[in-house]
């Protein structure tokens, strides 16, 4: 198998996808703008060849790179990065070289939140009331229908970048006058808990691994108000979330991919569909799944790609919790105190890449315990701030 791994060095833990493909016999071809000598040595050892481009946003440069790989090694079987950022780039190259996977014609449904809404509804999952922004009069009419607050978010966007909570007429007029020149979706503001339906499917679209995450607060609030966040894996997925997630998977026809589907859980218990991402959740979440289930999903994913088999029987023995800290906040407890208090439960801690700082923090602690109350107590201790 000839597998092009776009940007295989980032995020840093994702080099393990390439490593495990190599272990299972694939020819792994790296394509990125990072100097080769700066790649992780383990990644270097997994790559059959590495092609460096000057600009990953230049389709012509990427086209030449893929053409070179095709000339040298034959037909390309897969191209992937496992990140939201390169989803459209991958689709374009798959279309150009007839590579299996999402292509240009279907990418809007996987990128545009307005089209995701229709797919959720087709799957029998309710969504918040919303409209694509067209003009000021329409926006004001929408507010009259749903009331304040509302949320304005890019129709195509990653995370909570350029997303706004609009609380009154002044906020609305400010948005109308200053919003970036891109398509925006206006939605009623939902008071609820974000919960997710996550996992991996095989080549036939069957889910072979499933998990669910809970967040301390919405990423929009974390980003816009410079807060810190924690999130954790569940040991059991609620039945209604499992059913809604599976219907959504079938509607989006997710095959041979990780997925991350977000829902709102309303105070009355109902679920609303939020968005779908054809990638693993961000940061170290794949590692958290591995620790929570005592498996190796990097290897299992590679085995799906090569052999369409997921071999490990798994049971979720633990909750795994991520707690981020930001260096500019006055925390009560030092790193040494955290390690003394929870050292046996902390399976990993690390500085985070600056690119994740706003959403995930500067430094991360990952706790593992079968007891959710213990995990939440750990998050409270780690993130406790001086008054």
């Amino acid at each position: 198998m000839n597998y092009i791994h776009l940007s295989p060095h980032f995020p840093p833990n994702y080099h393990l996808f390439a490593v495990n493909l190599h272990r299972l016999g694939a020819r792994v071809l790296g394509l990125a703008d990072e100097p080769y000598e700066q790649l992780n040595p383990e990644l270097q050892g997994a790559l059959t060849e590495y092609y460096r481009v000057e600009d990953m946003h230049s389709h012509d440069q990427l086209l030449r790179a893929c053409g070179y790989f095709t000339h040298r090694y034959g037909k390309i079987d897969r191209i992937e990065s496992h990140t939201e950022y390169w989803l459209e780039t991958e689709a374009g190259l798959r279309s150009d070289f007839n590579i299996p996977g999402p292509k240009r014609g279907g990418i809007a449904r996987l990128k545009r939140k307005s089209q995701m809404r229709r797919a959720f509804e087709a799957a029998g999952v309710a969504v918040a009331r919303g409209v694509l922004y067209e003009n000021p009069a329409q926006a004001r009419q929408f507010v009259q229908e749903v009331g304040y607050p509302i949320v304005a978010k890019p129709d195509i966007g990653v995370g909570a970048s350029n997303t706004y909570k609009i609380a009154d007429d002044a906020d609305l007029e400010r948005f109308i006058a200053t919003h970036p020149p891109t398509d925006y979706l206006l939605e009623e503001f939902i008071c609820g808990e974000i919960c997710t339906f996550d996992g991996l499917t095989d080549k036939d679209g069957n889910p072979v691994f499933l998990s669910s995450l809970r967040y301390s607060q919405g990423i929009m609030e974390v980003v816009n108000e410079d807060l810190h966040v924690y999130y954790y894996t569940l040991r059991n997925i609620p039945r209604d979330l499992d059913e809604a997630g599976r219907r959504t998977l079938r509607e989006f026809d997710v095959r041979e991919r990780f997925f991350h589907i977000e829902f709102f859980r309303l105070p009355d218990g109902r679920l609303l569909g939020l968005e779908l991402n054809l990638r693993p959740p961000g940061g170290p979440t794949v590692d958290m799944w591995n620790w929570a289930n005592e498996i190796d999903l990097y290897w299992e994913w590679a085995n799906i790609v090569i052999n369409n088999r997921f071999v490990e029987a798994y049971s979720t023995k633990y909750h795994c919790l991520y707690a981020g800290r930001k260096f500019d906040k006055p925390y009560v407890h030092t790193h040494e105190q955290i390690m003394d208090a929870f050292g046996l439960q902390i399976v990993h801690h690390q500085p985070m890449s600056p690119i994740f700082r706003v959403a995930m923090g500067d430094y991360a602690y990952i706790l593992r315990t079968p007891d959710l109350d213990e995990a939440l107590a750990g998050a409270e201790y780690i993130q406790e701030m001086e008054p």
Side-chain angles (χ1 to χ4, degrees):
M1 170 178 278
N2 293 323
Y3 188 101
I4 294 179
H5 196 162
L6 281 183
S7 193
H9 62 290
F10 189 83
N13 51 322
Y14 282 14
H15 80 280
L16 292 170
F17 290 120
V19 167
N20 283 281
L21 278 176
H22 173 71
R23 288 174 179 166
L24 286 171
R27 182 182 287 119
V28 187
L29 308 168
L31 174 53
D33 54 6
E34 186 81 354
Y36 177 79
E37 60 273 14
Q38 294 182 20
L39 298 180
N40 180 304
E42 192 177 18
L43 174 59
Q44 291 181 359
L47 297 177
T48 300
E49 190 167 354
Y50 180 72
Y51 193 113
R52 185 190 178 197
V53 295
E54 292 298 322
D55 182 4
M56 284 287 286
H57 298 93
S58 169
H59 187 72
D60 286 344
Q61 291 184 32
L62 296 177
L63 201 65
R64 286 195 293 272
C66 293
Y68 167 80
F69 283 144
T70 301
H71 176 75
R72 181 152 187 179
Y73 300 106
K75 179 174 173 51
I76 304 302
D77 298 292
R78 299 290 189 278
I79 185 166
E80 183 66 76
S81 71
H82 297 288
T83 64
E84 184 80 11
Y85 190 82
W86 299 117
L87 193 61
E88 289 176 286
T89 300
E90 297 161 9
L93 293 170
R94 290 191 194 102
S95 298
D96 293 334
F97 290 89
N98 194 28
I99 301 169
K103 296 184 174 64
R104 283 193 187 97
I107 201 65
R109 196 167 185 250
L110 305 172
K111 289 286 289 183
R112 289 193 172 274
K113 296 177 176 65
S114 57
Q115 295 200 24
M116 289 181 196
R117 291 168 53 84
R118 292 197 286 272
F120 274 116
E121 291 176 324
V125 178
V127 296
R129 289 174 291 177
V131 294
L132 268 177
Y133 174 76
E134 296 178 358
N135 55 61
Q138 177 226 31
R140 297 181 188 113
Q141 177 62 37
F142 178 68
V143 167
Q144 287 185 3
E145 294 172 3
V146 303
Y148 288 116
I150 64 170
V151 175
K153 50 190 172 182
D155 197 28
I156 297 178
V158 179
S161 178
N162 294 318
T163 298
Y164 310 100
K165 182 179 179 181
I166 297 173
D168 52 33
D169 288 343
D171 284 349
L172 180 61
E173 297 308 317
R174 189 177 305 111
F175 166 77
I176 290 170
T178 64
H179 71 83
T182 187
D183 290 339
Y184 262 81
L185 180 67
L186 305 181
E187 286 187 336
E188 62 179 325
F189 180 80
I190 300 298
C191 290
E193 178 187 41
I194 293 178
C195 56
T196 71
F197 184 74
D198 308 306
L200 172 67
T201 59
D202 65 14
K203 295 185 182 188
D204 301 310
N206 302 307
V208 293
F209 171 78
L210 293 173
S211 186
S212 180
L213 303 174
R214 294 294 181 276
Y215 292 83
S216 59
Q217 52 202 329
I219 297 301
M220 179 180 68
E221 289 79 10
V222 171
V223 170
N224 291 343
E225 300 174 34
D226 194 28
L227 306 176
H228 50 214
V229 69
Y230 68 79
Y231 67 94
Y232 55 92
T233 63
L234 294 185
R235 294 187 61 186
N236 297 289
I237 303 173
R239 171 183 269 183
D240 62 341
L241 178 61
D242 182 83
E243 292 173 351
R246 289 175 185 269
R247 293 199 306 270
T248 304
L249 272 183
R250 289 193 293 270
E251 180 62 30
F252 280 97
D253 195 26
V254 179
R255 297 171 182 261
E256 195 186 296
R257 298 184 73 93
F258 286 99
F259 58 89
H260 174 59
I261 309 175
E262 298 178 352
F263 296 84
F264 278 119
R265 172 77 71 181
L266 302 183
D268 63 8
R270 289 180 297 133
L271 290 170
L272 295 182
L274 183 55
E275 63 180 72
L276 171 136
N277 301 278
L278 288 187
R279 58 167 175 80
T285 307
V286 175
D287 304 289
M288 292 169 62
W289 288 338
N290 287 341
W291 286 313
N293 297 278
E294 296 185 328
I295 58 177
D296 184 349
L297 282 165
Y298 298 105
W299 188 91
E300 290 290 357
W301 166 83
N303 198 28
I304 288 290
V305 173
I306 301 295
N307 301 308
N308 200 29
R309 291 204 302 268
F310 189 102
V311 299
E312 290 189 79
Y314 69 93
S315 61
T316 309
K317 299 179 180 179
Y318 303 97
H319 296 282
C320 239
L321 181 143
Y322 173 102
R325 303 220 307 186
K326 294 183 175 179
F327 291 149
D328 61 352
K329 296 192 178 299
Y331 295 104
V332 171
H333 304 292
T334 66
H335 171 75
E336 290 72 23
Q337 289 172 324
I338 292 169
M339 298 305 296
D340 286 343
F342 297 96
L344 294 178
Q345 294 176 351
I346 294 175
V347 292
H348 185 71
H349 59 92
Q350 68 173 66
M352 296 297 290
S353 168
I355 198 170
F356 295 131
R357 188 262 168 196
V358 175
M360 302 192 72
D362 297 299
Y363 203 87
Y365 297 87
I366 298 176
L367 290 80
R368 182 177 73 167
T369 172
D371 188 308
L372 180 57
D373 289 337
E374 288 184 357
L376 296 176
E380 182 178 358
Y381 187 90
I382 290 167
Q383 296 181 336
E384 183 180 359
M385 291 196 297
E386 296 173 359

